[in-house]
Amino acid sequence: MNIHEASVQSIDADAQRWAHACFPFAHSALVADSPWARTHRLAGEHGVAYLKIVPPQQRAVLPAVAVLARHFAPRIPQVLAFDAQQGWMLSASHDGATLSYESASEDLRELAQAFARMQLQAAAAPEVLACLPRPDLATLLEQLLTFLRPGPATAPQGTDGVHADYFIGSEQALRFERALQQRRRLLEPYLAQAAALPLTLEHGDLRPPNAALLADGSCVLLDWDDAMLAPAGMSLHGLFSGCTMPTILLSGSPAAQAAAGTPGGLMIHGYIDTLAQGGYADVATLRRLLPAAMCSGMIQFIVNFARYPGTVARAGVRGTLLARLESLLDVCDLLTVRQASLTREFAADYEAHHEYGRAQHLLMDDAARYPHDAAVVQRLALVLHKRGDLESATEMYERALALQPDGAPLHAGLGAVLMDDLQMARSTEHLQRALALEPGLGAAQHSLARAHAIAQMQLDAAQPERMPILRYTDAERVGAEVAPALLALGASLFQTYGTLQVDNAFAREAIEHIQRTFFERYLPYFREDNHPDALRLGDKRYMLTVDIDETFGDPGLLGAPMVLPLIRKILGDDCVLGAYTAVISLPGSRDQRLHKDHPALFPETQWHFGLPCFATQIIIPLVPLNEFTGTTRFYKGSHLLPTEQAEASGSQDPVVPLGSCLLTDYRCAHRGLGNRSDTVRPILTLIFNRPWFRDFKNYAQQPPLRITDAAYERMPEDLRALVSWWREEKRYSQLGRSLLL
């Protein structure tokens, strides 16, 4: 137990002693633990009560919550006692059924209407409203931008506040700060509209889990710690997990009219009707101004997180903040399309920052306005292509060509899309047409050269004796980004043949550095012996688990930019690194037997051969693989055949220089050939697999991964995601062993 945990337990013990004097109880259970409150459920002969313990920055609101509970009883649970100095509040149980986002439509509508009735009642009670804090609406946007700007790298428990990067990382925080600053001229006048609504009671965190349905069908509202005096609507974002949907529902569009009967439509219209009938404002005014109030409330909700630097629930806060900030950008996009002059400007801004999905939504509106403008349609087609929606991009280019048949850039663009879809004949046709119309068109020349190279690689791979090879140029490798056409080609070749050689995937000097480190660190394994932590794989051949550190965990190797995208295209974006080993073949080693690295998933059926790939091995040679050092003999296509039929399909012996690698489906038959040279032949083997798969066969003698906590923390976030499964399984395994002792 660390100092902070001990302090928390001491505070809770003091609070429970205080609560027991007010409400004798026999049993206590912690039912909620977050940076903004810890809640204990207390049960005794007098029933159930709840003890809430809030941090110092929340204590000032407790007297106001007590006032609200008295005034709005029984719609707010009775406050039995509170100590604002200590941050303790004891409340009676509401005895209702807590709502959720999946609750019945009529129950959610009742929640929205019950809150509206409370707001009407509060408007007639100035003494109640006077006890509530009032946010500064005029500075909300600036508060948000300040929150999004970088803060301290860490925020220890007890600090006064944090910035958004503490929760969502600096890259995301700066992304939102930049985008919202760029759209400030849209947001500021929009948010100012909220001030035109009368001030009333606002909950601050109104959402279904903070409400319960009583036996008589009425609602009780819980957790008023963020209560404030503000325009109506500032709490509504919590009912919709953001502002996007309710803003659309109030837009008057055909989509909004069609959605009026949905749970969201029933909630928002029930809320508006209740306020209008009570005289707060007329329906037209509410429909016009509530979206701005909702957006303001969501911003206030976001910046409130600056007060909670604790590590508890930090991951949950990250998800909430990202969702609300994306919703705020959605609102900006809805405002953008209302001003056609801004659509292309902000679409270009999104494109420049590789946010092609958002650019697409803006340009779709532009194309709907100007359906006969070939340049507008072309721009949408280009963004669809960048986003990877090849079918829609093809459709848009064909529409643009119907408007402008002799547009050379249009033919070049369509040819590039078709190439990424590996429709090589049609691609070449359009690229040649583009060059016939405009001979010096560089984009078409570049694409046509790539199309010819792809076609040649496809032809070579189809030759029975040849290894399928994906070749990168030096410029492509230095650019560290796989072109979509090459990504599609690599995945297609791999799925067809079950194996693939990727040439020029790594810088030769980087592999030579790894080679030198490997030869120094693992020298003891360069002799024939019974190594206790290395698996013997036949004659003079051993497999050992590699230490993932600065060298072998280098992002250029572990997250290889020319290979990992291909792996993810084959296995899915959620694939993980299942094992990281090295295989050492000593001089004089003999050929291995023909084998597959893992048994069939369903050996009693033939399903195994019809399934997509579930695991892929990357082999990275640390010495060149050739007829002297030996190589791995593959039987392409054998991932779709039983092992005993593999040899009949013919074999391939790849020659692999330093900087190249081999990929193989875990179902592909192969054999390591003997080492006829006078030096050891080490290869690195990285096994990537789908997250549900575990190799039960090959790691009984040693772990599949070896990584220290310190090395894990140093890894970039995207690479940590590849190995976090192993860290968690080790933690649970250790916990299980400790429970057994």
Side-chain angles (χ1 to χ4, degrees):
M1 182 187 304
N2 59 37
I3 294 174
H4 171 63
E5 291 171 340
S7 175
V8 167
Q9 290 194 8
S10 176
I11 292 170
D12 285 13
D14 290 343
Q16 291 191 50
R17 280 192 291 271
W18 168 83
H20 196 275
C22 307
F23 179 84
F25 60 91
H27 303 285
S28 170
L30 183 67
V31 294
D33 187 9
S34 70
W36 42 93
R38 291 190 310 284
T39 303
H40 294 265
R41 183 180 185 274
L42 312 178
E45 59 179 306
H46 300 294
V48 172
Y50 289 89
L51 170 63
K52 176 179 283 189
I53 304 167
V54 300
Q57 59 268 40
Q58 288 291 95
R59 292 173 185 173
V61 79
L62 295 186
V65 175
V67 171
L68 294 174
R70 284 195 302 272
H71 188 82
F72 291 102
R75 297 299 161 239
I76 298 177
Q78 179 187 4
V79 174
L80 301 175
F82 71 92
D83 185 330
Q85 185 175 359
Q86 298 292 336
W88 302 335
M89 175 168 281
L90 186 65
S91 302
S93 173
H94 53 73
D95 295 325
T98 303
L99 296 178
S100 72
Y101 289 100
E102 289 74 40
S103 293
S105 298
E106 57 269 24
D107 295 339
L108 296 176
R109 180 184 174 93
E110 169 58 25
L111 164 58
Q113 291 178 310
F115 182 53
R117 289 192 291 269
M118 293 177 70
Q119 290 183 305
L120 291 171
Q121 186 181 346
E127 73 282 1
V128 174
L129 297 179
C131 73
L132 297 173
R134 180 176 174 179
D136 185 356
L137 299 184
T139 65
L140 264 181
L141 184 55
E142 186 55 44
Q143 290 178 52
L144 175 62
L145 294 172
T146 300
F147 177 58
L148 290 169
R149 291 173 191 131
T154 60
Q157 187 72 22
T159 56
D160 292 334
V162 292
H163 289 244
D165 56 354
Y166 177 70
F167 297 109
I168 64 175
S170 59
E171 182 177 341
Q172 286 282 24
L174 288 171
R175 170 202 164 211
F176 286 111
E177 193 270 340
R178 183 208 60 77
L180 294 172
Q181 187 71 259
Q182 185 83 1
R183 290 153 182 78
R184 188 168 190 157
R185 65 186 188 271
L186 277 178
L187 274 175
E188 282 186 330
Y190 177 69
L191 296 174
Q193 298 177 40
L197 288 169
L199 299 176
T200 186
L201 169 68
E202 277 296 343
H203 184 280
D205 191 19
L206 184 70
R207 51 194 176 92
N210 279 343
L213 202 65
L214 302 182
D216 62 2
S218 62
C219 259
V220 57
L221 275 64
L222 318 171
D223 291 336
W224 287 84
D225 302 353
D226 293 320
M228 56 187 167
L229 176 62
M234 282 189 64
S235 298
L236 291 187
H237 66 92
L239 295 177
F240 298 88
S241 298
C243 286
T244 310
M245 182 54 66
T247 300
I248 292 172
L249 286 168
L250 295 178
S251 66
S253 65
Q257 296 169 18
T262 64
L266 293 172
M267 277 196 293
I268 195 72
H269 293 301
Y271 178 78
I272 288 175
D273 291 345
T274 302
L275 286 181
Q277 291 165 11
Y280 175 82
D282 61 78
V283 170
T285 298
L286 289 167
R287 292 177 64 90
R288 180 169 54 88
L289 299 180
L290 278 180
M294 289 186 293
C295 191
S296 297
M298 187 172 71
I299 292 174
Q300 181 67 61
F301 174 80
I302 292 169
V303 299
N304 280 348
F305 282 101
R307 301 179 296 183
Y308 306 120
T311 57
V312 175
R314 191 172 171 185
V317 171
R318 170 186 168 83
T320 298
L321 285 180
L322 288 174
R324 294 299 198 275
L325 288 164
E326 291 290 356
S327 180
L328 188 54
L329 280 185
D330 290 343
V331 170
C332 291
D333 291 347
L334 291 170
L335 295 174
T336 298
V337 298
R338 294 176 190 173
Q339 302 183 41
S341 61
L342 296 178
T343 300
R344 297 178 197 180
E345 176 189 341
F346 287 148
D349 178 63
Y350 280 136
E351 284 183 75
H353 294 88
H354 307 288
E355 296 195 46
Y356 300 121
R358 289 195 173 277
Q360 174 192 332
H361 293 148
L362 296 182
L363 292 174
M364 286 177 68
D365 182 82
D366 204 30
R369 277 199 195 95
Y370 307 103
H372 303 298
D373 188 326
V376 171
V377 178
Q378 177 188 11
R379 188 166 176 195
L380 174 57
L382 180 62
V383 167
L384 288 165
H385 184 193
K386 290 178 178 177
R387 197 181 182 193
D389 186 350
L390 303 183
E391 183 177 352
S392 298
T394 299
E395 180 185 341
M396 287 299 110
Y397 271 119
E398 289 174 341
R399 184 184 300 181
L401 280 168
L403 297 169
Q404 189 180 335
D406 292 333
L410 295 177
H411 283 286
L414 180 54
V417 173
L418 293 169
M419 179 171 58
D420 287 354
D421 201 30
L422 299 185
Q423 298 185 47
M424 303 313 298
R426 289 187 63 201
S427 171
T428 301
E429 176 187 341
H430 281 282
L431 293 171
Q432 290 174 338
R433 174 65 175 156
L435 289 172
L437 291 166
E438 190 176 329
L441 187 59
Q445 292 173 335
H446 177 76
S447 292
L448 189 60
R450 176 166 281 166
H452 288 321
I454 287 173
Q456 189 61 52
M457 284 187 271
Q458 288 176 317
L459 287 172
D460 290 345
Q463 302 302 312
E465 73 283 358
R466 301 192 69 168
M467 186 76 175
I469 299 178
L470 178 67
R471 295 184 181 89
Y472 294 130
T473 65
D474 287 342
E476 287 166 341
R477 176 179 52 73
V478 171
E481 185 174 356
V482 184
L486 295 179
L487 198 59
L489 173 65
S492 174
L493 293 175
F494 182 89
Q495 289 158 356
T496 300
Y497 300 109
T499 186
L500 177 69
Q501 180 169 329
V502 183
D503 277 351
N504 206 18
F506 305 93
R508 181 185 176 95
E509 56 271 19
I511 298 300
E512 288 174 341
H513 168 68
I514 293 168
Q515 176 200 75
R516 288 192 296 271
T517 304
F518 188 92
F519 273 66
E520 292 169 2
R521 182 180 301 175
Y522 297 109
L523 183 62
Y525 298 91
F526 290 8
R527 65 176 186 274
E528 193 167 8
D529 201 349
N530 291 321
H531 303 288
D533 58 346
L535 179 68
R536 183 183 288 271
L537 297 177
D539 179 57
K540 298 181 181 178
R541 188 179 276 107
Y542 303 94
M543 180 179 76
L544 58 93
T545 303
V546 171
D547 294 294
I548 301 177
D549 57 12
E550 291 84 352
T551 299
F552 296 98
D554 182 273
L557 180 67
L558 200 59
M562 306 307 290
V563 182
L564 188 55
L566 181 55
I567 295 295
R568 285 177 167 151
K569 189 170 181 67
I570 294 166
L571 296 173
D573 288 338
D574 60 349
C575 67
V576 298
L577 180 65
Y580 189 173
T581 63
V583 175
I584 297 172
S585 297
L586 303 180
S589 62
R590 295 192 294 269
D591 293 354
Q592 282 184 308
R593 61 177 179 81
L594 179 68
H595 66 283
K596 296 188 175 188
D597 283 332
H598 199 273
L601 293 182
F602 303 99
E604 68 277 12
T605 72
Q606 294 298 307
W607 290 0
H608 181 71
F609 302 114
L611 293 174
C613 178
F614 59 85
T616 300
Q617 180 173 212
I618 304 177
I619 297 174
I620 304 173
L622 298 185
V623 298
L625 303 185
N626 51 45
E627 59 182 314
F628 301 108
T629 59
T631 187
T632 300
R633 174 172 292 167
F634 288 104
Y635 297 80
K636 64 184 186 184
S638 60
H639 62 308
L640 305 179
L641 299 170
T643 305
E644 57 272 15
Q645 297 178 22
E647 286 191 285
S649 66
S651 64
Q652 299 78 38
D653 294 351
V655 174
V656 189
L658 288 186
S660 297
C661 65
L662 299 167
L663 274 61
T664 176
D665 190 309
Y666 231 34
R667 299 167 296 178
C668 188
H670 61 280
R671 56 161 48 99
L673 299 184
N675 181 357
R676 291 191 288 275
S677 73
D678 57 2
T679 186
V680 296
R681 184 188 77 211
I683 58 173
L684 298 180
T685 57
L686 288 74
I687 312 297
F688 288 88
N689 50 257
R690 296 182 189 267
W692 48 263
F693 174 74
R694 297 292 182 270
D695 186 337
F696 72 90
K697 176 185 176 185
N698 295 301
Y699 301 100
Q701 187 166 334
Q702 64 208 79
L705 295 174
R706 184 174 285 124
I707 179 170
T708 65
D709 289 343
Y712 177 84
E713 294 300 333
R714 286 194 300 268
M715 294 174 73
E717 186 175 345
D718 60 328
L719 295 188
R720 284 204 302 267
L722 293 173
V723 297
S724 59
W725 71 272
W726 173 245
R727 181 177 158 101
E728 287 302 300
E729 288 195 6
K730 278 204 308 180
R731 187 167 68 86
Y732 285 121
S733 175
Q734 291 164 356
L735 177 62
R737 285 197 296 270
S738 67
L739 291 174
L740 289 172
L741 294 176

